[in-house]
Amino acid sequence: MTLLELYTKYNRVWIPDEEHVWKSAEIVRDFHVGDNVLELLLEDCTEQRYPVDPLKPQLPPLRNPDILVGENDLTALSYLHEPAVLHNLKVRFVESRIIYTYCGIILVAVNPYKQLPIYGDAIIHAYSGQNMGDMDPHIFAVAEEAYKQMARNHKNQSIIVSGESGAGKTVSARYAMRYFAVVSKSGSKTRVEDKVLASNPVTEAIGNAKTTRNDNSSRFGKFTEISFDRKYQIIGANMRTYLLEKSRVVFQAENERNYHIFYQLCSCAHLPEFKNLRLLSADNFRYTSMGGDVTIEGVDDKKDMEETRQTFSLLGLKEDFQSDVFKVLAAVLHLGNVEIGDSGKDKSSSSVSLSDPHLAVVCELLGVSAEELVHWLCHRRIVLLAETVVKPMPKERAVNARDALAKHIYAHLFDCIIIRINKALQVPGKQHAFSGVLDIYGFETFDINSFEQFCINYANEKLQQQFNLHVFKLEQEEYMKEDIPWTLIDFYDNQPVIDLIEAKMGILDLLNEECLFPQGTDQTWLQKLDTYLISSTLFERPRLYGEAFVIQHFADKVEYQCKGFLEKNRDTLYEELVDTMRVSKFPFLANFFQEEEPSAVSSKGVKVRPARPAVKPTNKQLRTSVGDKFSSSLSLLMETLNSTIPHYVRCIKPNDEKIPFEYDSRRVVQQLRACGVLETIRISAQSYPSRWTYIEFYSRYSILMTHQEPDLNDKKQTCKNVLQRLIQDSNQYKFGRTKIFFRAGQVAYLEKLRLDRLRGACITVQKHVRGWSQRRKYLRMREAAIILQQYIRGKRTIRKMVSAATLKQGWAALVIQRHWKGYRTRQIYQLVRLASVTIQAFTRGWMARKRYKKMMEEQKALVLQKYARAWLARRRFQTMRRLVLNVQLSFRVQQLRKKIEDQNKENRGMVDKLTSLANTHSQTVDRLQVMEAQLEKSNSQRATLETREKKVKEDATLTVAQYQKELDSLKLEKRNLEKKFEAAIKEAEESFEVLRRNILDEKENEARLRKIAENNNEIQRHDSEKEVEALKEEIKKLKEERVILHRKVEEEGRVNADLQEQVIQLTKHVKTIPELRREMNNLQNQRNNMDRKMKQQSEQARAKMNEITIQLLGGVVEEEVLLGLSSNDSEKIYDMEDLLAAFDGLQKATRILEKHQKEQKESYETQLEGLLLKVDHLQHENGRLQSLFQEKSNVNDSIRQEVSRLNSENLLIPELKVQVSELQRQKQELQVNVEERNKELAEKTEAITSVHQIKIKEESSLRRHFEDKAEELEEVKRELQGRVEDLEEENDHLKQQQLLESEAKIKLRFEISQLTAETMEFEEQLDHKDRFIKKLQNQIKSLETSQKAKQKPAPIIPKDYLGMLEYKKEDEPRLIQNIILDLKPKGVVVNMIPSLPAYLLFMCVRYADYLNDEAKLKALMNAIISAVKKVIMNHYKDFELLSFWLSNTCLLLNCLKQYSGEEEFMKLNTPRQKKNCLQNFDLSEHRQILSDLAIHIYHQFITVMEKALTPAIVPGMLEHESLQGISSMKPTGFRKRSNSIYEDSETYTISSIIQQLTHFHSTMNQHGMDQGLIKQAVKQLFFLVGATTLNNIMLRKDMCSCRKGMQIRCNISYLEEWLKEKELQNSNAMDTLRPLSQAAWLLQVNKSTDDDAKEITEKCTELNSVQVVKILNSYTPIDDFEKRVTSSFVRKVQSLLQDREGSTQLMLDTDYRFQVMFPFCPSSQALELLQVPNSLNLGFLTRI
């Protein structure tokens, strides 16, 4: 669509206006080609006919749609021209109160003449790390972009700040330097950042002054290089100054002031340290009172002087140097008051009175002779060929000499201070890069323009040329990056103006030549200009004024007055006065005028070639001119800027009256033309100014698509199809790689189509709603009319039909109806009554039967109770009898307790083994993480190679662009390359087809191998089942033999009884006692021998059974399953039933083996699928790594469950003790004589052993067979992997690297799983063997104790633990090392009891308190606190470790309180816990120290969580579109956010935030953290989410829309649901989101009427007035149907909020921390029941 076709009715245009530059008008009638007039309607409702040339129509520029007005970037506008830029800046500045706007690469800053709350440290941190365009335009955003590019690209940067005087250049440069100082804190003791910032007050004091346009105008140019090291921290700075306005020292215009330092010095004249300067008030000095008023409103010179002196000291400039500076400044002021009078009759000479008081002060301060100074002020030495003549000078020339001396002294002082500041800003260290900030004057044109304005405009011409070339280069790079054909754009080149000024025989060259002639004047120089330059079109002579010339600059024509050009260029100071200053007794001054050795202009070797050979000066006063110096320094500056990446800030002065937020369009457009903004717009508008990403276009204009066009899978192609249908002319847009480029006006046309579509949809909706409403109203009216008609017709019928006969018939009908209704009612009543009686009868019968049944049950219960009570009485009697018997067996009970303790130790050993296994697993996981890090490193190297390759490609394309003349030959080469490329594509497709066929063949081979493996497994399973059946038969035989053994044991018991009777009879005979004893000893020895043999044989049998089970299950199942198969064996006494249990275990093992075979079958299938997926989708490797991590966590969970089960078994030990005592009572019935039983048992054991050995051999052979099959399958698998690797090597180099890395991970996983299985198998074998041995030992010992108990009963000595751990003083370092320093939160014991370290440490504290050893107690407490601090310092970024030690520190603190003996902490203690309280020492001081440590850990813990959560907050809460179908996309400009959104980076959503919060919550719960502390941590995190989101809303105008408010409230509801799910509603976390919730509500609510304003003030209670006004000003409609917030409404709300108290800060402090409270929660854990796991290596601790 052409631009002329857009001039249709209702569209608006801009027409020129004298007052407002441009004004808006609406087109009344469509414009057609050939029309000679455009009919317009102005905003004041007046009509205007705009004349148009029919042949060459020059139509007025079109106005952008309202939806595009107010954008952050001017290049986002559809129509790019001067009135659009002017209007957009006005809307943002006046209505939205926004002072910053992007214009491509330029930041336009409009001076608000008011302090704004947008420069605090919170704002700096908000912009830190953000991409350019992510936030609202700001000087901090430009500084961040420069800092980021310097760190990323390792290139020097520069920020060029320019503008008129009073536009805010100095303040902008100061803020940029402050940003660098804040974000690059070095942390060194030199505090170089503070010094860099401190240099600003000093340079402003000596170089800034009040002018008619600005109260703090910089009267010099300044380029500050801020140096950075390799860590990109500030290590120093260096300043270069340009063209100090020396004439201001001696002359100021009306309402202007001299430099600030003079007034600051005069304001402190009364101070003692300034008495010797004999200063007066500023009104009494000529140099400070020329401009009239010597004060500035709102400025305190005395306070500024204090700041200046403080910054001198901060920069390291000592008091002596400051005193010298102030002496020179005071001397300059007094020199201006030296009176020079006329002398002589013709007033041809001048004189100065030696009694002048100011002269005496000057000479005293400067250390010069008064006579010499007076003489050479009034005389001049002229050197002739033959003699030297001293000539008196008239008063005028003497005054000029005095002023020249003052100017030179001040200029030298200025340079000296700058040099000393640069030395102070240099610190040791090598500069790696720098960022420069250029604060330089902008283009100037006044009523009278002199030499200073000429130099300033010359510098701006050079800067504008550099700016144009940079903009052109960036535009070209953008087009080449997107593969858009590049066409040359005509842009303004100001090289002819620069040649006019600096070329040979140019203005500067002629000026320097004229200065060489002693008789040269301004008039003679102007004549030379006429002679040499009159032919140039850029040089003119005014008609009315003779002593002036005009230069056509890039911004405007400027007329320069020639008067004073030569004098200012010479900058002459007579040599006699220089000699006088040189011999001064004041060394500080004398050094100013020392002769300098000839040197190069700059240390960097920049040589400025003159236009012609220089004339050798014949006098010392003929020095280098000011113009030459300025040209050389300007060349050096341009060389520096060209070596950096520039960033531009253009400061605009909105009005000359300095009224806040007042916009003068004429002044603004004049500056826009002068500073290059409009040139940027013109360059952009000539090509394709509007640029949209495909996703943005799809989201915005999907409404224009037909039903067939939307395709979510290929949005790019969809956008192309839609655009080709909507805009027929393909020249109006171009498709790039990631963006669509539009010519001017096309986006506005699309917006018009979108608006028409929305308007049509609205009309359709309105049509249907109105039709439905009218139909509904019609139907209601029709229904009412019908009802009315019925009543009326009924009345009429009644009137017609009523008579005596009809009334009689009616009465008869009523009588009949009455009787009939009565009959029917009685019939129904009788039926209901009969049913009710029947129901009652059945109900009462059921209730009676129920009562009878209950009575019978009660009777039977009484009978049962009778018998039960009798049984209980008998049982109590029997229990009493057993207790009496137990007293006799006390010794045996004591021995049994020892055995139970040994069993506990065994259990702890099992836990230790599990812990070591978990540690081994964690180490393998660490190795896997190392491999992952290497993988990431290789990926980064790959990315580096890709960037290098991309850079090489870009260089190649640039070379192609330079050689465009050879386009024909290149096209031929391109065709050849395309043919080759097509051939290569075909070859690649063929190779890929071959690869696919090979993979299919391998898949078939794998399927055949899988079937073979399944057959083998089935055969093995049948064999194992047969063997199990054989074992079952063997066990049955053993059971029968066991019954026979029992019978024999009974017979032996009877024999033993007979023997005992015989022994009793024999005891009567004394002589036979020795022989009897010998026989008893022999029997005892035989019994012991048989017991040992039985023990060995039983151990062998049990070991064989365990080996069979382990061989069946080894490497198949995990360790906890094996423990489950045999966990109860350790608690039973060995008997023949154990064989049946072993048989059951074998059956269970067989079932598990079958299950494993199925799983193995499935694993083979998954491996095949993995091989195929590895070829097609290598990127799924990351998902498999995550699944591995999940498996690790599952293994840890299973281990934790097994340990908790073992712990529960340990808690059942008291019950087991009772059972063991019962078993011992039963074993007392065994007799002493066991010889025959042992022999028979040994024979049976040998038989069983032989059978088992045979079975074990068969099982070993079977297992070897399995291993051989597994090896064969593994070899096949390796062969397949080798084939896959060979196929993948044919791909490119990058894919081959990824494949090798994935194979390494697979091998690593396989080795880890294999090692883990082997470790678990060995551990399980050892455990089974140990348990079996312990069982046999317990049986033998029980027999021995039973015999000893008969002979020697002993009393019971119960063992009661006190909940303490005994340790020695020398073991304290080991205790701290093992429990604190070396402990990891991932161990098995720690996962089982996460608070175990705190309990163990407190038990040690109790022991020290129990010993009443104060030194030992203090040493232990100090060691604990120091060790925890060390762990926290060494692992300050480890979230899990911080969580673990925060939990344990709080628990230790609670234990110290709970057992302190204080009543307030003992209310919930048990009697035993009260007994365990500390007895001797008060640890309240250590409690306080421990509390402070816990607070420190908590804050570090919160910091780590915030650091992990912060990157996801803004993308998840603001940028992610959580509500489908509600898009808030808008056009963007050159500073596109798409650079940060659509790059290959991680995309965060609200789900990411919730997942991170869930991870935090689960970890805290896992570590046993107190719920109150968890709630406080969650509240702090929610505050961070709310504050960060709200701060971004305040700084991002694009986020202030109604739809974005809906998205935010939806995300808040998700967070609220998460709190409910975790039962954290009472944590007050939602209260921290109230400001954000109210801000979202404010974006959605109506904002038009007074009631709306009142509602806003009533509901937005959590937002201060500044935030509410900021949101209202930033509110941005997404569609034309929404309305902007009017300025009157904002003022109304502001007036209602003016009385509200509270903070006035715009940003919330995201670093704010809520006060943490550690709630006291007494522990119910009994310390005496805790045991020390062996895995902690704390064997030196002893339970007391």
Side-chain angles (χ1 to χ4, degrees), residues 307-319:
E307 183 181 2
T308 302
R309 296 177 67 184
Q310 290 175 359
T311 52
F312 268 125
S313 302
L314 182 61
L315 290 170
L317 305 181
K318 300 180 180 180
E319 294 291 337

Side-chain angles (χ1 to χ4, degrees), residues 656-852:
D656 291 330
E657 291 77 20
K658 303 176 185 178
I659 302 174
F661 290 104
E662 185 69 24
Y663 192 82
D664 186 353
S665 299
R666 288 180 296 179
R667 287 288 291 120
V668 171
V669 77
Q670 179 184 2
Q671 296 172 73
L672 291 175
R673 293 167 180 168
C675 69
V677 173
L678 296 181
E679 183 65 20
T680 305
I681 294 297
R682 195 183 67 82
I683 293 176
S684 299
Q686 284 187 0
S687 54
Y688 298 94
S690 302
R691 297 156 195 186
W692 286 61
T693 64
Y694 288 99
I695 296 179
E696 289 174 343
F697 183 87
Y698 188 92
S699 177
R700 181 72 177 171
Y701 298 116
S702 59
I703 193 174
L704 298 178
M705 300 176 185
T706 61
H707 295 292
Q708 294 79 17
E709 286 177 339
D711 184 6
L712 296 176
N713 297 325
D714 192 358
K715 293 183 178 181
K716 185 174 181 180
Q717 187 60 40
T718 302
C719 295
K720 291 182 178 179
N721 296 337
V722 172
L723 202 54
Q724 290 171 357
R725 177 175 56 83
L726 295 177
I727 303 178
Q728 303 298 328
D729 187 2
S730 61
N731 190 39
Q732 299 299 319
Y733 56 88
K734 293 293 181 183
F735 296 111
R737 296 174 59 192
T738 61
K739 303 175 187 176
I740 306 175
F741 289 65
F742 295 95
R743 289 200 182 274
Q746 300 308 309
V747 172
Y749 172 66
L750 293 174
E751 285 293 323
K752 178 179 178 298
L753 294 178
R754 182 177 182 274
L755 184 61
D756 293 341
R757 176 66 63 87
L758 289 175
R759 185 179 287 111
C762 290
I763 292 173
T764 303
V765 172
Q766 289 175 351
K767 177 182 68 175
H768 287 284
V769 170
R770 288 171 180 170
W772 172 80
S773 177
Q774 293 297 326
R775 283 193 301 273
R776 187 180 179 188
K777 184 178 179 182
Y778 164 73
L779 292 175
R780 287 179 179 177
M781 293 174 64
R782 181 176 178 273
E783 184 179 357
I786 291 173
I787 293 173
L788 290 176
Q789 289 175 357
Q790 289 176 353
Y791 279 99
I792 293 173
R793 290 169 182 169
K795 287 286 185 181
R796 289 180 179 177
T797 304
I798 291 172
R799 289 177 182 176
K800 291 180 181 180
M801 299 298 295
V802 172
S803 63
T806 56
L807 290 176
K808 190 174 181 180
Q809 290 176 0
W811 179 254
L814 289 175
V815 173
I816 293 171
Q817 289 177 358
R818 181 180 65 193
H819 287 283
W820 172 251
K821 289 179 180 178
Y823 167 74
R824 292 295 299 170
T825 302
R826 283 191 300 273
Q827 202 174 26
I828 292 172
Y829 167 72
Q830 290 174 359
L831 184 62
V832 172
R833 181 176 177 277
L834 178 61
S836 299
V837 170
T838 304
I839 292 171
Q840 288 176 358
F842 280 99
T843 303
R844 288 169 181 165
W846 174 77
M847 293 176 65
R849 288 190 295 274
K850 187 177 181 181
R851 283 197 300 271
Y852 171 75

Side-chain angles (χ1 to χ4, degrees), residues 330-578:
V332 171
L333 291 177
H334 286 288
L335 181 62
N337 280 15
V338 173
E339 294 291 338
I340 300 178
D342 294 325
S343 63
K345 297 181 181 180
D346 54 356
K347 298 183 180 182
S348 60
S349 61
S350 58
S351 63
V352 177
S353 174
L354 293 176
S355 61
D356 190 328
H358 293 285
L359 177 64
V361 175
V362 170
C363 296
E364 178 184 349
L365 294 176
L366 299 182
V368 297
S369 171
E371 293 78 4
E372 287 288 325
L373 180 60
V374 169
H375 178 72
W376 293 117
L377 280 176
C378 301
H379 297 78
R380 181 185 177 190
R381 179 189 294 131
I382 301 176
V383 179
L384 302 176
L385 294 176
E387 60 180 346
T388 301
V389 179
V390 176
K391 178 182 177 182
M393 292 188 298
K395 176 182 177 180
E396 181 180 359
R397 299 194 66 178
V399 169
N400 291 337
R402 178 198 66 188
D403 293 344
L405 178 61
K407 289 190 294 183
H408 276 76
I409 290 175
Y410 189 81
H412 284 301
L413 177 65
F414 181 85
D415 293 338
C416 176
I417 294 175
I418 295 299
I419 292 172
R420 293 296 296 270
I421 290 175
N422 287 335
K423 289 182 180 179
L425 295 179
Q426 294 299 324
V427 295
K430 184 178 180 181
Q431 173 182 303
H432 176 66
F434 73 83
S435 285
V437 180
L438 177 62
D439 175 11
I440 198 165
Y441 14 67
F443 185 83
E444 289 188 354
T445 173
F446 301 121
D447 294 335
I448 298 177
N449 301 291
S450 186
F451 180 72
E452 291 83 3
Q453 282 70 41
F454 174 76
C455 292
I456 289 172
N457 293 339
Y458 167 45
N460 276 273
E461 288 286 354
K462 298 283 285 186
L463 291 173
Q464 183 64 26
Q465 183 187 39
Q466 190 262 357
F467 169 74
N468 289 343
L469 293 175
H470 185 68
V471 171
F472 183 79
K473 178 183 176 182
L474 288 180
E475 194 76 9
Q476 185 179 11
E477 289 178 353
E478 178 74 9
Y479 277 65
M480 296 178 67
K481 179 181 178 182
E482 294 292 330
D483 293 337
I484 300 296
W486 173 255
T487 56
L488 291 176
I489 298 175
D490 181 24
F491 68 97
Y492 176 76
D493 187 6
N494 56 350
Q495 185 62 41
V497 182
I498 296 174
D499 293 340
L500 177 68
I501 296 174
E502 68 179 11
K504 186 176 181 180
M505 303 307 294
I507 296 176
L508 276 180
D509 189 60
L510 295 174
L511 179 62
N512 293 329
E513 181 183 279
E514 193 65 21
C515 289
L516 295 176
F517 297 103
Q519 303 301 323
T521 62
D522 296 328
Q523 290 77 16
T524 57
W525 172 62
L526 185 60
Q527 291 175 3
K528 288 185 177 180
L529 293 181
D530 286 339
T531 303
Y532 291 101
L533 305 178
I534 196 65
S535 61
S536 175
T537 59
L538 303 175
F539 180 84
E540 300 178 5
R541 286 294 304 278
R543 297 179 180 179
L544 300 179
Y545 302 97
E547 296 184 0
F549 61 92
V550 178
I551 297 178
Q552 177 64 53
H553 288 286
F554 74 94
D556 199 1
K557 288 184 178 181
V558 181
E559 180 179 319
Y560 298 99
Q561 298 296 324
C562 293
K563 184 179 180 181
F565 260 72
L566 264 68
E567 186 65 27
K568 293 177 180 178
N569 189 46
R570 287 169 178 163
D571 196 22
T572 306
L573 178 64
Y574 297 127
E575 188 66 25
E576 295 78 13
L577 289 174
V578 173

Side-chain angles (χ1 to χ4, degrees), residues 10 87 127 181 225 310 563 576 991 1291 1659:
Y10 303 121
H87 180 65
Y127 276 90
E225 284 187 7
Q310 290 175 359
K563 184 179 180 181
E576 295 78 13
S991 62
N1291 295 332
K1659 291 191 175 182

